Amino acid sequence: MLKCSEFEATETINNSLNFPHTPQLLYALLYTLIVSYNFNRRLIDNKQITAMFENCYAMNYSHYFKDIRFWIILFFIVRLYGIFFPPLEVSHNWRQTTVTMVARNFSEEGPNLLYPKIDIAGEKSGITGMEFPVLNYLIYLVSFLFGYEHWYGRLINLIVSSFGIWYFYRLINKYFREDIAFNAGIVLLFSIWYTYSRKIMPDTFSMSLMIAGLYYALNYLDEGKTKDLIPAFLLVITGTLAKLPSAYLLILLTLPYLSRSIQLNRKLWLGALLGIGLIFPLWFYFKWVPYLESTFGFHHFFMGKSMATGTKELLEHWPETLSKFYDIAIKYIGFAFLLWGLYKAIRIKETFLLRICLIGFIGFLPIMLKGGFTFYHHSYYIIPFVPVMALMSAYGISSLPSRRWEIIVLVAIGLEGFFNHMDDFRIKPVNAALLQLEPIMNEISKPKDLVAINSGAFPTPMYFAHRKGWVAFNDQLSKPHYIDSLSQLGLRHIIIMKRTFGDSMVPRSDKNRWFLRASDINFDIYSLDTSGLNK
């Protein structure tokens, strides 16, 4: 929610600057966001910000606001705030650390793309099936040049996802009016992509590659230029490898393939090239991933469940399922205009737009059904479908009676998205305490010592301890036979999380003696008395 001073500041600039209506609204949005961002930090005085905006308008820079690249670059810069943060924000820190674990292991043990390793496989090697480690490998490459840091994946994803919005705009602009493309870009920018574009996760990263690949593929089909084939091939294959569900977007190629206006030889060349290229991603996910899990004995990667089970779970929890569309994906205002756009498109028979959305939903539906509980439980499963939703929402916005009203709605969508995602730009002190875990462990243990942590299913504390071992629940660690069995497998230390990711407890053992080596408000760390280790 805006503070009173922020409302006053916005009113002041509206009253003091005599802008034409559309630039005035854009200035008001930009000014409000910057003042809000500056409010608690007080980086500069708000009067200086007002003066800056007055000078900008006097120099006639308002035309930049009509260029989608201005907004992409601006909010690329805005989202650089906290870019150096470790993956400890509340939302999906666990998912991010499974990416950074692999990247760090690449840096420390060698970058074998076919044998990615995580740190929570206990005494096992840690090799397991997962997404093809494209993002992880890029983090490794940056680490190779500059040394490993937690945050590299944030910046890589933000850069790629920003280009993804640009290619999304270009793709829409090929087939629809420029104002629809602009509106769609803004809706996508402030959707769930706003924060997930700076998380160390492959979702928006992969979709951005797929959108760019689809753009070049359609360019080739429309114009027949061979130079478009290579980026289409590389981007589509890499996007599919990075996150398999993103490949559903290729179903939209059925529209040009069914069109008689496109030459047959172009369809054959593109189809053959992509078909050959997709052999490797399909082999990796459906042959290699199961092989890794069976050979190395650790299951980590979710490949979905039966569609019957998934359908049953979605129907039983239909309110949570629907909320992913209207609350998580593009928020309430964007979704309201999606419904309005759908109504208008049906009423005036916008066949092409309706076909895109219908075919896109048909392609996305198996992802939902295979996900079931996982779809409505995790926010990021809706990400692949958000561009389709943004297009229909943009069409609804563009049907308003004037461009001024369109800008008002875009401002509202921008403010709704910006303020709803602000919590993702800070780390709670209780989570930040995990940064002290590795230094503590370095004082009392060796890097190769195996540890157990009462973080349940969360791998985050293991990553920040920079150790390998087991994550477990309190009730498991309270059972003596469980701890004794792990001791036989090499367990040497138990980390008890007391304030976050777990609750205070005392581990129990019948056969071995454990003693408290370190304790503070956040952690208790127990070490095994190896002199009396039961054989």
Side-chain angles (χ1 to χ4, degrees), residues 318-475:
W318 63 267
E320 296 99 316
T321 301
L322 289 179
S323 72
K324 293 296 175 285
F325 293 89
Y326 67 80
D327 182 20
I328 301 300
I330 55 177
K331 303 305 292 185
Y332 296 95
I333 300 174
F335 188 76
F337 277 91
L338 179 151
L339 297 177
W340 174 247
L342 182 61
Y343 166 76
K344 293 285 290 185
I346 294 173
R347 183 177 179 182
I348 65 177
K349 299 181 180 180
E350 284 281 0
T351 307
F352 182 56
L353 174 62
L354 290 171
R355 284 175 179 172
I356 289 175
C357 294
L358 177 60
I359 292 173
F361 182 74
I362 291 172
F364 184 67
L365 187 59
I367 299 172
M368 294 177 56
L369 300 182
K370 291 286 288 183
F373 164 82
T374 310
F375 175 81
Y376 65 77
H377 185 69
H378 295 300
S379 300
Y380 58 87
Y381 270 71
I382 192 65
I383 285 175
F385 193 61
V386 173
V388 177
M389 298 178 68
L391 171 59
M392 183 58 80
S393 180
Y395 177 78
I397 295 169
S398 70
S399 68
L400 292 172
S402 70
R403 186 60 180 165
R404 182 186 179 188
W405 281 107
E406 292 180 41
I407 297 299
I408 290 174
V409 172
L410 293 178
V411 168
I413 288 174
L415 291 173
E416 183 183 34
F418 180 84
F419 288 109
N420 270 286
H421 294 305
M422 285 189 72
D423 282 347
D424 230 44
F425 288 77
R426 68 186 185 94
I427 294 176
K428 293 182 178 180
V430 68
N431 284 2
L434 265 71
L435 295 174
Q436 302 304 315
L437 192 51
E438 182 180 356
I440 295 173
M441 291 303 296
N442 287 342
E443 292 182 4
I444 65 175
S445 69
K446 299 176 182 178
K448 298 294 185 181
D449 286 351
L450 297 180
V451 306
I453 305 179
N454 69 327
S455 56
F458 288 87
T460 310
M462 187 70 75
Y463 171 75
F464 285 100
H466 200 169
R467 296 296 186 273
K468 300 182 189 298
W470 299 263
V471 290
F473 293 91
N474 276 14
D475 62 342

Side-chain angles (χ1 to χ4, degrees), residues 47-304:
K47 292 181 179 179
Q48 293 177 275
I49 299 177
T50 302
M52 177 186 70
F53 272 77
E54 289 173 338
N55 292 335
C56 285
Y57 182 74
M59 297 173 70
N60 195 27
Y61 287 155
S62 61
H63 64 281
Y64 288 117
F65 292 151
K66 301 175 183 178
D67 191 330
I68 192 65
R69 290 170 294 185
F70 171 83
W71 296 100
I72 294 172
I73 294 171
L74 172 66
F75 284 96
F76 173 88
I77 295 171
V78 168
R79 285 177 291 173
L80 287 177
Y81 173 76
I83 203 71
F84 301 131
F85 287 171
L88 280 170
E89 66 267 35
V90 172
S91 176
H92 289 94
N93 55 67
W94 65 271
R95 182 63 181 85
Q96 296 180 79
T97 53
T98 59
V99 176
T100 51
M101 279 180 182
V102 175
R104 187 170 63 188
N105 287 330
F106 279 168
S107 297
E108 296 176 349
E109 303 176 24
N112 194 324
L113 289 167
L114 291 178
Y115 294 91
K117 295 181 180 179
I118 59 175
D119 297 340
I120 54 173
E123 82 287 0
K124 298 181 176 67
S125 66
I127 296 172
T128 188
M130 62 187 335
E131 292 104 348
F132 191 83
V134 178
L135 178 58
N136 321 64
Y137 190 74
L138 291 177
I139 297 171
Y140 157 74
L141 291 178
V142 178
S143 302
F144 181 79
L145 296 174
F146 303 106
Y148 183 81
E149 295 289 348
H150 302 300
W151 56 270
Y152 292 154
R154 289 192 189 277
L155 184 58
I156 293 169
N157 189 21
L158 183 57
I159 292 171
V160 173
S161 297
S162 296
F163 275 104
I165 295 175
W166 167 236
Y167 273 102
F168 176 67
Y169 165 83
R170 296 177 72 184
L171 184 60
I172 302 305
N173 200 32
K174 278 175 60 68
Y175 302 104
F176 297 91
R177 298 194 314 267
E178 192 279 335
D179 63 311
I180 296 177
F182 180 90
N183 294 349
I186 294 296
V187 173
L188 185 63
L189 175 62
F190 289 103
S191 71
I192 187 175
W193 281 48
Y194 188 81
T195 53
Y196 279 82
S197 293
R198 63 188 299 280
K199 289 184 183 294
I200 311 170
M201 296 170 60
D203 301 85
T204 61
F205 173 87
S206 170
M207 277 299 297
S208 296
L209 296 177
M210 289 299 300
I211 289 170
L214 187 62
Y215 170 80
Y216 285 110
L218 290 169
N219 268 1
Y220 174 72
L221 291 175
D222 290 339
E223 302 171 16
K225 296 180 179 178
T226 307
K227 67 179 180 67
D228 289 320
L229 274 177
I230 295 176
F233 173 82
L234 293 176
L235 289 165
V236 166
I237 303 311
T238 307
T240 303
L241 282 169
K243 187 83 175 183
L244 182 61
S246 299
Y248 97 95
L249 208 59
L250 293 176
I251 196 174
L252 296 179
L253 288 176
T254 57
L255 289 172
Y257 267 77
L258 293 174
S259 172
R260 297 180 179 179
S261 64
I262 295 177
Q263 296 178 15
L264 179 61
N265 67 314
R266 297 179 189 175
K267 298 176 184 178
L268 294 176
W269 273 108
L270 180 66
L273 194 64
L274 293 183
I276 293 171
L278 287 171
I279 291 174
F280 179 69
L282 294 175
W283 169 83
F284 177 83
Y285 279 102
F286 294 103
K287 291 293 185 181
W288 190 247
V289 166
Y291 166 78
L292 292 179
E293 292 181 343
S294 62
T295 302
F296 295 95
F298 187 74
H299 176 76
H300 167 72
F301 186 55
F302 178 69
M303 283 288 286

